[in-house]
Amino acid sequence: MNKAPVLLYLHGVGQGDLAQEWRFQLSQTLADIGYPSLDDVEIIAPKYADAFEEFEVAAELPPLTIAALTKDVARHNRIEFERRISAMEFRLGRHDSGVGGKMPTTVVSLSVELPLFYQARNYLSSEQVRAQVLNRILAQLPEEGELVILGHSLGSVIAADVVRRLPAGLKVAGLVTIGSPLANGSFNVDRLENELHQPPSNMRWWVNFWSGTDPVAAKRGVSGVIPWVLDYRIKTPLIPGTAHSSKHYCADPAVGEAIGFGLFGSRSKEIVVSEKNLSLPLNEAELFVVQALRFAYLISLRLQGEKQQRFNLALRETQARFYQEIMAHNEAENRPIPAEIRHLEFDFADADAIAPTPLPSPYLYKYEAARRFVDLAGLNLLHPFEIEVDDNARLEAMKDLSEESQLGSQFGADVMNSLRKAEDLISSGRKARWLKWGALGFGTAALAAASGGLALAVAPGVAGAAAISSALAGFGPGGLAGGLLTAGTLISAGSGGIAVGVLKSSTTAEEVEALVAQKLAVVILSQTQQLEIDDETWNYFVESERNLRRELTRLENISDEKSPMVAGVKRKLKAVEKALSFMSHQGLEPGIFKELEAANNKPKLKFLSR
């Protein structure tokens, strides 16, 4: 049986809360919210106030014990860490890094020079003092097991410092910092910001709590300098000294929830259930439907009055239609129905029947979610209905979708920002409508996200656009494919992912612009999230440009000078050219330049593609 985690409390300046008010308050908070108290928890609370003075006997800094990770291992570690920190965000609430400000930051910087804070000044400036403090703490820790660390004020800086020096067999089940000044440059001891550019491999998660009335926190969290930390704002009293006290931080239920989860595990099964592998996994088409309906539901929560009523009516009909189509398709294929799809069922013929709320979206790795969420954000969820949604409502809904998918709300914000940037690049200031209602129908977006997922009944040997047409045939006219512009018009399931229908008259210039912008948004999002970018999008644009140029030359030689068809092809071509230009300036061209660079082994350009 695994031993329960030990609680390590690291105090700030002063004598270290000799009355242990933090402990009694935290124990009470845990009991109030349904966790066990601290009565049976092993607590280590080192006192090191005297160690802030330089001793006569020289002390050496304890060695770093975290080995450097290879690129692949580091990437895996970061992905898994983000999954855990996103689950904590889902548990606690929305990440809030604060706004900071010149005045609060200046106050924190100047306070370090005051006599009252000489201990902090000594720790930050003297390696001897740092060594004394760290050695004092490490001497009291076990060699193996798990720790939950609570660091207050300067103790949060010490916590970040000591984590990298723990015994190899000792892991950090969770780090909670309260009232931390780490975001201030004066506290960047031993270049902690640079050393912690990636989560330490021995740490499961780090949550930082800050209060707007706490002068030491300076109206901000620490994610501004350590971006992978989850910041969470709470309220402490208005009086500065009291607002900064560990006792009042520990009185907050959110702080208790984080520490309680680290020590005792989950009080509920909400997150556990969302991570369980169901016996019958969703295929790509079913997953897309579940996520799209959930996204629409999250949007509906942010609407009001008559618009919300119309939106919910359209969503109700959409949910009923897609449930029936998936049921019919799976029955024809003799495929069982996953629980998430069964959950959507209701009697649409009964006007009083309430449509079940779509379940939260399952977890996706970020490189999978990048394409999926961009597609979701850019489609018309309720096709053929068109209901304009406020930008902020769509943004907040996407942040919620990302948060409950354990990707973090910032991922959702980056999705929308990437779409806006791509839209601006492609439209060149011209007001586009595709994010207003969604230029692409549901079926088109589903194919763009996972054409292979819909190809459930493709005949042997069928590929590319023919595979799409074959798969969609199972849904019948006006079914899931009802939102398609033309089957196979905009995308192909072939290995190159090349557009096969940008030349068709049934494909409007606006629809092509929307798809180009969506594909470009995935590139922008991948850069923001530091994800790998393969060559597929570049190849797609190059092939589309080649086809469009050939078609434009053919049309211009024969058609009237002001032909709408010619103007449409020019507009399509311009959209593709802008996308290629952006990727070129970002150093994303594959091919000969990259090969020459590798051959010379002298990097001259920065490439993010593989």
Side-chain angles (χ1 to χ4, degrees):
M1 182 175 179
N2 293 331
K3 186 179 179 181
V6 173
L7 177 60
L8 171 64
Y9 175 73
L10 300 177
H11 67 77
V13 297
Q15 296 301 311
D17 190 4
L18 296 178
Q20 298 192 62
E21 290 184 332
W22 71 270
R23 177 176 181 170
F24 298 126
Q25 180 58 68
L26 178 59
S27 187
Q28 183 63 54
T29 302
L30 289 170
D32 288 345
I33 63 176
Y35 278 113
S37 69
L38 294 179
D39 291 347
D40 297 323
V41 174
E42 181 182 352
I43 299 175
I44 299 175
K47 300 297 189 290
Y48 39 80
D50 62 313
F52 286 122
E53 306 283 353
E54 289 194 358
F55 297 160
E56 293 183 2
V57 179
E60 294 185 0
L61 280 173
L64 298 175
T65 55
I66 298 179
L69 304 178
T70 64
K71 182 179 179 181
D72 289 342
V73 174
R75 182 171 181 271
H76 175 76
N77 180 60
R78 180 64 182 266
I79 290 172
E80 289 302 310
F81 183 89
E82 288 182 346
R83 178 176 182 175
R84 294 191 297 270
I85 204 69
S86 295
M88 287 299 296
E89 183 181 30
F90 184 62
R91 175 180 298 280
L92 297 174
R94 181 65 54 78
H95 168 81
D96 187 347
S97 60
V99 295
K102 185 175 181 180
M103 182 60 70
T105 300
T106 302
V107 170
V108 176
S109 299
L110 293 175
S111 67
V112 178
E113 303 301 322
L114 297 176
L116 179 64
F117 293 97
Y118 80 94
Q119 293 172 323
R121 185 166 62 254
N122 287 353
Y123 187 85
L124 298 171
S125 60
S126 170
E127 185 173 301
Q128 165 88 352
V129 168
R130 276 181 66 215
Q132 292 169 175
V133 172
L134 293 173
N135 285 324
R136 178 79 60 86
I137 294 168
L138 289 170
Q140 300 185 42
L141 300 182
E143 289 296 315
E144 58 184 21
E146 288 191 327
L147 289 176
V148 173
I149 304 177
L150 173 60
H152 173 240
S153 193
L154 179 61
S156 69
V157 181
I158 298 172
D161 207 356
V162 79
V163 160
R164 304 175 299 147
R165 307 171 192 276
L166 294 174
L170 192 56
K171 308 300 180 184
V172 180
L175 170 59
V176 175
T177 49
I178 53 178
S180 176
L182 267 169
N184 186 279
S186 300
F187 289 82
N188 188 22
V189 61
D190 199 24
R191 299 183 303 120
L192 269 177
E193 294 177 16
N194 297 331
E195 295 298 326
L196 294 175
H197 67 282
Q198 293 287 350
S201 57
N202 63 348
M203 180 192 295
R204 289 189 59 80
W205 47 263
W206 178 354
V207 181
N208 176 69
F209 294 92
W210 63 278
S211 169
T213 57
D214 179 358
V216 176
K219 295 186 178 180
R220 64 187 297 190
V222 303
S223 60
V225 294
I226 307 175
W228 43 267
V229 173
L230 173 63
D231 278 318
Y232 190 90
R233 181 176 184 172
I234 64 173
K235 291 183 179 180
T236 55
L238 294 175
I239 303 172
T242 307
H244 182 60
S245 75
S246 58
K247 172 184 175 180
H248 286 285
Y249 269 100
C250 289
D252 192 277
V255 175
E257 178 66 37
I259 297 175
F261 176 68
L263 291 173
F264 308 111
S266 178
R267 286 183 299 128
S268 69
K269 295 186 178 181
E270 293 178 41
I271 296 179
V272 175
V273 169
S274 70
E275 292 183 344
K276 285 180 66 177
N277 293 321
L278 300 179
S279 57
L280 181 62
L282 297 164
N283 63 36
E284 290 296 327
E286 294 162 342
L287 176 59
F288 190 90
V289 167
V290 168
Q291 290 174 320
L293 292 175
R294 180 66 179 183
F295 183 38
Y297 164 74
L298 294 172
I299 289 175
S300 73
L301 296 179
R302 289 168 169 79
L303 304 180
Q304 295 180 346
E306 183 260 352
K307 176 172 285 190
Q308 185 185 55
Q309 184 181 22
R310 289 189 292 114
F311 192 96
N312 285 337
L313 286 173
L315 177 56
R316 184 175 186 272
E317 180 175 326
T318 301
Q319 181 167 323
R321 185 173 74 249
F322 283 109
Y323 173 78
Q324 292 298 329
E325 289 164 5
I326 292 177
M327 288 288 290
H329 184 272
N330 285 19
E331 184 178 349
E333 294 301 309
N334 197 29
R335 170 179 163 78
I337 306 299
E340 296 93 333
I341 301 298
R342 288 278 186 190
H343 174 78
L344 300 173
E345 182 181 13
F346 70 101
D347 185 2
F348 183 67
D350 181 356
D352 295 326
I354 299 175
T357 300
L359 294 172
S361 171
Y363 172 77
L364 288 178
Y365 283 107
K366 285 193 174 183
Y367 59 85
E368 298 171 325
R371 293 180 182 274
R372 178 64 51 78
F373 282 21
V374 165
D375 288 328
L376 287 174
L379 66 89
N380 179 2
L381 298 163
L382 306 178
H383 182 85
F385 305 105
E386 288 188 337
I387 301 175
E388 183 177 355
V389 175
D390 177 75
D391 286 351
N392 190 61
R394 194 181 292 268
L395 169 63
E396 292 302 315
M398 179 55 73
K399 289 164 71 174
D400 277 353
L401 184 70
S402 296
E403 180 182 327
E404 68 183 23
S405 302
Q406 302 180 38
L407 297 165
S409 60
Q410 186 58 48
F411 183 86
D414 288 344
V415 167
M416 301 307 294
N417 291 335
S418 300
L419 279 163
R420 286 299 178 197
K421 183 174 181 179
E423 182 186 43
D424 291 342
L425 286 167
I426 299 303
S427 63
S428 298
R430 178 170 36 78
K431 191 175 177 71
R433 68 171 284 281
W434 70 279
L435 273 181
K436 187 176 182 181
W437 292 294
L440 301 179
F442 197 111
T444 304
L447 288 174
S451 56
L454 288 176
L456 303 176
V458 178
V462 178
I468 296 173
S469 300
S470 174
L472 292 172
F475 290 86
L480 184 59
L484 279 172
L485 308 169
T486 300
T489 292
L490 294 180
I491 66 170
S492 163
S495 60
I498 307 302
V500 297
V502 293
L503 310 180
K504 293 187 177 182
S505 59
S506 58
T507 308
T508 69
E510 185 174 58
E511 290 162 346
V512 172
E513 286 178 337
L515 187 65
V516 169
Q518 281 180 293
K519 285 184 171 290
L520 189 59
V522 175
V523 173
I524 296 170
L525 177 62
S526 298
Q527 287 183 304
T528 303
Q529 290 287 327
Q530 298 181 346
L531 305 174
E532 281 190 289
I533 302 173
D534 59 29
D535 299 339
E536 177 185 347
T537 303
W538 175 270
N539 293 335
Y540 167 87
F541 289 145
V542 168
E543 183 67 16
S544 298
E545 181 189 39
R546 183 184 302 119
N547 291 339
L548 287 167
R549 287 192 185 281
R550 185 186 307 121
E551 181 69 2
L552 181 60
T553 300
R554 187 174 72 87
L555 292 176
E556 283 185 322
N557 288 336
I558 301 174
S559 301
D560 288 343
E561 183 178 349
K562 295 184 179 181
S563 163
M565 184 66 70
V566 171
V569 174
K570 286 183 177 180
R571 186 172 162 186
K572 295 176 184 179
L573 177 59
K574 189 173 183 180
V576 174
E577 288 175 336
K578 288 177 181 177
L580 282 170
S581 176
F582 174 82
M583 293 187 68
S584 179
H585 283 116
Q586 296 296 311
L588 300 178
E589 310 97 316
I592 186 66
F593 296 107
K594 189 162 51 178
E595 292 171 6
L596 289 174
E597 181 186 29
N600 294 331
N601 198 25
K602 297 178 180 179
K604 298 178 181 179
L605 298 174
K606 182 180 180 181
F607 297 101
L608 298 182
S609 57
R610 291 183 298 196

mmCIF file with all atom_site columns, all heavy atoms in Angstrom, residues 268-283:
data_model
loop_
_atom_site.group_PDB
_atom_site.id
_atom_site.type_symbol
_atom_site.label_atom_id
_atom_site.label_alt_id
_atom_site.label_comp_id
_atom_site.label_asym_id
_atom_site.label_entity_id
_atom_site.label_seq_id
_atom_site.pdbx_PDB_ins_code
_atom_site.Cartn_x
_atom_site.Cartn_y
_atom_site.Cartn_z
_atom_site.occupancy
_atom_site.B_iso_or_equiv
_atom_site.pdbx_formal_charge
_atom_site.auth_seq_id
_atom_site.auth_comp_id
_atom_site.auth_asym_id
_atom_site.auth_atom_id
_atom_site.pdbx_PDB_model_num
ATOM 1   N N   . SER A 1 268 ? -14.918 13.667 -5.645  1.00 0.00 ? 268 SER A N   1
ATOM 2   C CA  . SER A 1 268 ? -15.977 13.268 -6.575  1.00 0.00 ? 268 SER A CA  1
ATOM 3   C C   . SER A 1 268 ? -15.344 12.496 -7.717  1.00 0.00 ? 268 SER A C   1
ATOM 4   O O   . SER A 1 268 ? -14.135 12.361 -7.808  1.00 0.00 ? 268 SER A O   1
ATOM 5   C CB  . SER A 1 268 ? -16.687 14.504 -7.124  1.00 0.00 ? 268 SER A CB  1
ATOM 6   O OG  . SER A 1 268 ? -15.820 15.228 -7.976  1.00 0.00 ? 268 SER A OG  1
ATOM 7   N N   . LYS A 1 269 ? -16.176 11.976 -8.611  1.00 0.00 ? 269 LYS A N   1
ATOM 8   C CA  . LYS A 1 269 ? -15.684 11.188 -9.725  1.00 0.00 ? 269 LYS A CA  1
ATOM 9   C C   . LYS A 1 269 ? -15.832 11.932 -11.052 1.00 0.00 ? 269 LYS A C   1
ATOM 10  O O   . LYS A 1 269 ? -15.725 11.338 -12.119 1.00 0.00 ? 269 LYS A O   1
ATOM 11  C CB  . LYS A 1 269 ? -16.424 9.862  -9.801  1.00 0.00 ? 269 LYS A CB  1
ATOM 12  C CG  . LYS A 1 269 ? -16.160 8.968  -8.588  1.00 0.00 ? 269 LYS A CG  1
ATOM 13  C CD  . LYS A 1 269 ? -16.796 7.604  -8.754  1.00 0.00 ? 269 LYS A CD  1
ATOM 14  C CE  . LYS A 1 269 ? -16.480 6.700  -7.570  1.00 0.00 ? 269 LYS A CE  1
ATOM 15  N NZ  . LYS A 1 269 ? -17.075 5.362  -7.709  1.00 0.00 ? 269 LYS A NZ  1
ATOM 16  N N   . GLU A 1 270 ? -16.048 13.257 -10.982 1.00 0.00 ? 270 GLU A N   1
ATOM 17  C CA  . GLU A 1 270 ? -16.266 14.010 -12.216 1.00 0.00 ? 270 GLU A CA  1
ATOM 18  C C   . GLU A 1 270 ? -15.084 13.882 -13.167 1.00 0.00 ? 270 GLU A C   1
ATOM 19  O O   . GLU A 1 270 ? -15.229 13.534 -14.325 1.00 0.00 ? 270 GLU A O   1
ATOM 20  C CB  . GLU A 1 270 ? -16.506 15.480 -11.892 1.00 0.00 ? 270 GLU A CB  1
ATOM 21  C CG  . GLU A 1 270 ? -17.806 15.730 -11.143 1.00 0.00 ? 270 GLU A CG  1
ATOM 22  C CD  . GLU A 1 270 ? -17.966 17.196 -10.809 1.00 0.00 ? 270 GLU A CD  1
ATOM 23  O OE1 . GLU A 1 270 ? -17.642 18.035 -11.665 1.00 0.00 ? 270 GLU A OE1 1
ATOM 24  O OE2 . GLU A 1 270 ? -18.419 17.509 -9.694  1.00 0.00 ? 270 GLU A OE2 1
ATOM 25  N N   . ILE A 1 271 ? -13.880 14.174 -12.642 1.00 0.00 ? 271 ILE A N   1
ATOM 26  C CA  . ILE A 1 271 ? -12.708 14.145 -13.513 1.00 0.00 ? 271 ILE A CA  1
ATOM 27  C C   . ILE A 1 271 ? -12.296 12.712 -13.809 1.00 0.00 ? 271 ILE A C   1
ATOM 28  O O   . ILE A 1 271 ? -11.905 12.393 -14.921 1.00 0.00 ? 271 ILE A O   1
ATOM 29  C CB  . ILE A 1 271 ? -11.546 14.928 -12.863 1.00 0.00 ? 271 ILE A CB  1
ATOM 30  C CG1 . ILE A 1 271 ? -11.938 16.416 -12.741 1.00 0.00 ? 271 ILE A CG1 1
ATOM 31  C CG2 . ILE A 1 271 ? -10.271 14.767 -13.647 1.00 0.00 ? 271 ILE A CG2 1
ATOM 32  C CD1 . ILE A 1 271 ? -10.900 17.270 -12.092 1.00 0.00 ? 271 ILE A CD1 1
ATOM 33  N N   . VAL A 1 272 ? -12.435 11.835 -12.821 1.00 0.00 ? 272 VAL A N   1
ATOM 34  C CA  . VAL A 1 272 ? -12.075 10.437 -13.044 1.00 0.00 ? 272 VAL A CA  1
ATOM 35  C C   . VAL A 1 272 ? -12.897 9.853  -14.179 1.00 0.00 ? 272 VAL A C   1
ATOM 36  O O   . VAL A 1 272 ? -12.382 9.176  -15.062 1.00 0.00 ? 272 VAL A O   1
ATOM 37  C CB  . VAL A 1 272 ? -12.271 9.619  -11.749 1.00 0.00 ? 272 VAL A CB  1
ATOM 38  C CG1 . VAL A 1 272 ? -12.013 8.156  -12.003 1.00 0.00 ? 272 VAL A CG1 1
ATOM 39  C CG2 . VAL A 1 272 ? -11.359 10.145 -10.648 1.00 0.00 ? 272 VAL A CG2 1
ATOM 40  N N   . VAL A 1 273 ? -14.195 10.132 -14.179 1.00 0.00 ? 273 VAL A N   1
ATOM 41  C CA  . VAL A 1 273 ? -15.066 9.602  -15.216 1.00 0.00 ? 273 VAL A CA  1
ATOM 42  C C   . VAL A 1 273 ? -14.646 10.122 -16.580 1.00 0.00 ? 273 VAL A C   1
ATOM 43  O O   . VAL A 1 273 ? -14.617 9.400  -17.569 1.00 0.00 ? 273 VAL A O   1
ATOM 44  C CB  . VAL A 1 273 ? -16.534 9.988  -14.931 1.00 0.00 ? 273 VAL A CB  1
ATOM 45  C CG1 . VAL A 1 273 ? -17.407 9.684  -16.133 1.00 0.00 ? 273 VAL A CG1 1
ATOM 46  C CG2 . VAL A 1 273 ? -17.043 9.221  -13.718 1.00 0.00 ? 273 VAL A CG2 1
ATOM 47  N N   . SER A 1 274 ? -14.285 11.408 -16.667 1.00 0.00 ? 274 SER A N   1
ATOM 48  C CA  . SER A 1 274 ? -13.941 11.981 -17.962 1.00 0.00 ? 274 SER A CA  1
ATOM 49  C C   . SER A 1 274 ? -12.661 11.394 -18.528 1.00 0.00 ? 274 SER A C   1
ATOM 50  O O   . SER A 1 274 ? -12.413 11.476 -19.714 1.00 0.00 ? 274 SER A O   1
ATOM 51  C CB  . SER A 1 274 ? -13.775 13.506 -17.837 1.00 0.00 ? 274 SER A CB  1
ATOM 52  O OG  . SER A 1 274 ? -12.615 13.815 -17.094 1.00 0.00 ? 274 SER A OG  1
ATOM 53  N N   . GLU A 1 275 ? -11.842 10.776 -17.641 1.00 0.00 ? 275 GLU A N   1
ATOM 54  C CA  . GLU A 1 275 ? -10.587 10.216 -18.125 1.00 0.00 ? 275 GLU A CA  1
ATOM 55  C C   . GLU A 1 275 ? -10.684 8.709  -18.391 1.00 0.00 ? 275 GLU A C   1
ATOM 56  O O   . GLU A 1 275 ? -9.786  8.119  -18.953 1.00 0.00 ? 275 GLU A O   1
ATOM 57  C CB  . GLU A 1 275 ? -9.481  10.459 -17.090 1.00 0.00 ? 275 GLU A CB  1
ATOM 58  C CG  . GLU A 1 275 ? -9.105  11.931 -16.954 1.00 0.00 ? 275 GLU A CG  1
ATOM 59  C CD  . GLU A 1 275 ? -7.974  12.125 -15.974 1.00 0.00 ? 275 GLU A CD  1
ATOM 60  O OE1 . GLU A 1 275 ? -7.703  11.189 -15.197 1.00 0.00 ? 275 GLU A OE1 1
ATOM 61  O OE2 . GLU A 1 275 ? -7.372  13.190 -15.976 1.00 0.00 ? 275 GLU A OE2 1
ATOM 62  N N   . LYS A 1 276 ? -11.785 8.080  -17.976 1.00 0.00 ? 276 LYS A N   1
ATOM 63  C CA  . LYS A 1 276 ? -11.886 6.631  -18.136 1.00 0.00 ? 276 LYS A CA  1
ATOM 64  C C   . LYS A 1 276 ? -12.059 6.248  -19.593 1.00 0.00 ? 276 LYS A C   1
ATOM 65  O O   . LYS A 1 276 ? -12.707 6.930  -20.371 1.00 0.00 ? 276 LYS A O   1
ATOM 66  C CB  . LYS A 1 276 ? -13.084 6.119  -17.342 1.00 0.00 ? 276 LYS A CB  1
ATOM 67  C CG  . LYS A 1 276 ? -12.867 6.066  -15.842 1.00 0.00 ? 276 LYS A CG  1
ATOM 68  C CD  . LYS A 1 276 ? -14.096 5.562  -15.137 1.00 0.00 ? 276 LYS A CD  1
ATOM 69  C CE  . LYS A 1 276 ? -14.390 4.130  -15.464 1.00 0.00 ? 276 LYS A CE  1
ATOM 70  N NZ  . LYS A 1 276 ? -15.552 3.620  -14.721 1.00 0.00 ? 276 LYS A NZ  1
ATOM 71  N N   . ASN A 1 277 ? -11.462 5.157  -19.981 1.00 0.00 ? 277 ASN A N   1
ATOM 72  C CA  . ASN A 1 277 ? -11.637 4.629  -21.330 1.00 0.00 ? 277 ASN A CA  1
ATOM 73  C C   . ASN A 1 277 ? -12.901 3.780  -21.371 1.00 0.00 ? 277 ASN A C   1
ATOM 74  O O   . ASN A 1 277 ? -12.998 2.764  -20.688 1.00 0.00 ? 277 ASN A O   1
ATOM 75  C CB  . ASN A 1 277 ? -10.420 3.770  -21.726 1.00 0.00 ? 277 ASN A CB  1
ATOM 76  C CG  . ASN A 1 277 ? -9.179  4.608  -21.873 1.00 0.00 ? 277 ASN A CG  1
ATOM 77  O OD1 . ASN A 1 277 ? -9.231  5.726  -22.371 1.00 0.00 ? 277 ASN A OD1 1
ATOM 78  N ND2 . ASN A 1 277 ? -8.054  4.058  -21.435 1.00 0.00 ? 277 ASN A ND2 1
ATOM 79  N N   . LEU A 1 278 ? -13.876 4.234  -22.137 1.00 0.00 ? 278 LEU A N   1
ATOM 80  C CA  . LEU A 1 278 ? -15.117 3.476  -22.243 1.00 0.00 ? 278 LEU A CA  1
ATOM 81  C C   . LEU A 1 278 ? -14.883 2.217  -23.055 1.00 0.00 ? 278 LEU A C   1
ATOM 82  O O   . LEU A 1 278 ? -13.988 2.136  -23.891 1.00 0.00 ? 278 LEU A O   1
ATOM 83  C CB  . LEU A 1 278 ? -16.187 4.358  -22.898 1.00 0.00 ? 278 LEU A CB  1
ATOM 84  C CG  . LEU A 1 278 ? -16.511 5.655  -22.133 1.00 0.00 ? 278 LEU A CG  1
ATOM 85  C CD1 . LEU A 1 278 ? -17.556 6.455  -22.883 1.00 0.00 ? 278 LEU A CD1 1
ATOM 86  C CD2 . LEU A 1 278 ? -17.018 5.329  -20.740 1.00 0.00 ? 278 LEU A CD2 1
ATOM 87  N N   . SER A 1 279 ? -15.721 1.215  -22.822 1.00 0.00 ? 279 SER A N   1
ATOM 88  C CA  . SER A 1 279 ? -15.554 -0.056 -23.512 1.00 0.00 ? 279 SER A CA  1
ATOM 89  C C   . SER A 1 279 ? -15.744 0.102  -25.017 1.00 0.00 ? 279 SER A C   1
ATOM 90  O O   . SER A 1 279 ? -15.162 -0.629 -25.796 1.00 0.00 ? 279 SER A O   1
ATOM 91  C CB  . SER A 1 279 ? -16.543 -1.084 -22.942 1.00 0.00 ? 279 SER A CB  1
ATOM 92  O OG  . SER A 1 279 ? -17.876 -0.598 -23.068 1.00 0.00 ? 279 SER A OG  1
ATOM 93  N N   . LEU A 1 280 ? -16.585 1.070  -25.428 1.00 0.00 ? 280 LEU A N   1
ATOM 94  C CA  . LEU A 1 280 ? -16.794 1.308  -26.849 1.00 0.00 ? 280 LEU A CA  1
ATOM 95  C C   . LEU A 1 280 ? -16.402 2.748  -27.158 1.00 0.00 ? 280 LEU A C   1
ATOM 96  O O   . LEU A 1 280 ? -17.175 3.684  -26.903 1.00 0.00 ? 280 LEU A O   1
ATOM 97  C CB  . LEU A 1 280 ? -18.258 1.069  -27.233 1.00 0.00 ? 280 LEU A CB  1
ATOM 98  C CG  . LEU A 1 280 ? -18.583 1.268  -28.722 1.00 0.00 ? 280 LEU A CG  1
ATOM 99  C CD1 . LEU A 1 280 ? -17.805 0.271  -29.572 1.00 0.00 ? 280 LEU A CD1 1
ATOM 100 C CD2 . LEU A 1 280 ? -20.070 1.120  -28.959 1.00 0.00 ? 280 LEU A CD2 1
ATOM 101 N N   . PRO A 1 281 ? -15.212 2.969  -27.669 1.00 0.00 ? 281 PRO A N   1
ATOM 102 C CA  . PRO A 1 281 ? -14.775 4.341  -27.936 1.00 0.00 ? 281 PRO A CA  1
ATOM 103 C C   . PRO A 1 281 ? -15.540 4.963  -29.102 1.00 0.00 ? 281 PRO A C   1
ATOM 104 O O   . PRO A 1 281 ? -16.028 4.264  -29.984 1.00 0.00 ? 281 PRO A O   1
ATOM 105 C CB  . PRO A 1 281 ? -13.290 4.167  -28.280 1.00 0.00 ? 281 PRO A CB  1
ATOM 106 C CG  . PRO A 1 281 ? -13.182 2.774  -28.802 1.00 0.00 ? 281 PRO A CG  1
ATOM 107 C CD  . PRO A 1 281 ? -14.198 1.974  -28.028 1.00 0.00 ? 281 PRO A CD  1
ATOM 108 N N   . LEU A 1 282 ? -15.642 6.265  -29.076 1.00 0.00 ? 282 LEU A N   1
ATOM 109 C CA  . LEU A 1 282 ? -16.258 6.998  -30.181 1.00 0.00 ? 282 LEU A CA  1
ATOM 110 C C   . LEU A 1 282 ? -15.348 6.948  -31.397 1.00 0.00 ? 282 LEU A C   1
ATOM 111 O O   . LEU A 1 282 ? -14.124 7.056  -31.278 1.00 0.00 ? 282 LEU A O   1
ATOM 112 C CB  . LEU A 1 282 ? -16.469 8.462  -29.786 1.00 0.00 ? 282 LEU A CB  1
ATOM 113 C CG  . LEU A 1 282 ? -17.426 8.741  -28.615 1.00 0.00 ? 282 LEU A CG  1
ATOM 114 C CD1 . LEU A 1 282 ? -17.222 10.154 -28.114 1.00 0.00 ? 282 LEU A CD1 1
ATOM 115 C CD2 . LEU A 1 282 ? -18.859 8.525  -29.044 1.00 0.00 ? 282 LEU A CD2 1
ATOM 116 N N   . ASN A 1 283 ? -15.955 6.772  -32.601 1.00 0.00 ? 283 ASN A N   1
ATOM 117 C CA  . ASN A 1 283 ? -15.136 6.961  -33.787 1.00 0.00 ? 283 ASN A CA  1
ATOM 118 C C   . ASN A 1 283 ? -15.044 8.458  -34.068 1.00 0.00 ? 283 ASN A C   1
ATOM 119 O O   . ASN A 1 283 ? -15.650 9.279  -33.369 1.00 0.00 ? 283 ASN A O   1
ATOM 120 C CB  . ASN A 1 283 ? -15.693 6.178  -34.985 1.00 0.00 ? 283 ASN A CB  1
ATOM 121 C CG  . ASN A 1 283 ? -17.078 6.642  -35.399 1.00 0.00 ? 283 ASN A CG  1
ATOM 122 O OD1 . ASN A 1 283 ? -17.407 7.822  -35.343 1.00 0.00 ? 283 ASN A OD1 1
ATOM 123 N ND2 . ASN A 1 283 ? -17.916 5.703  -35.827 1.00 0.00 ? 283 ASN A ND2 1
#
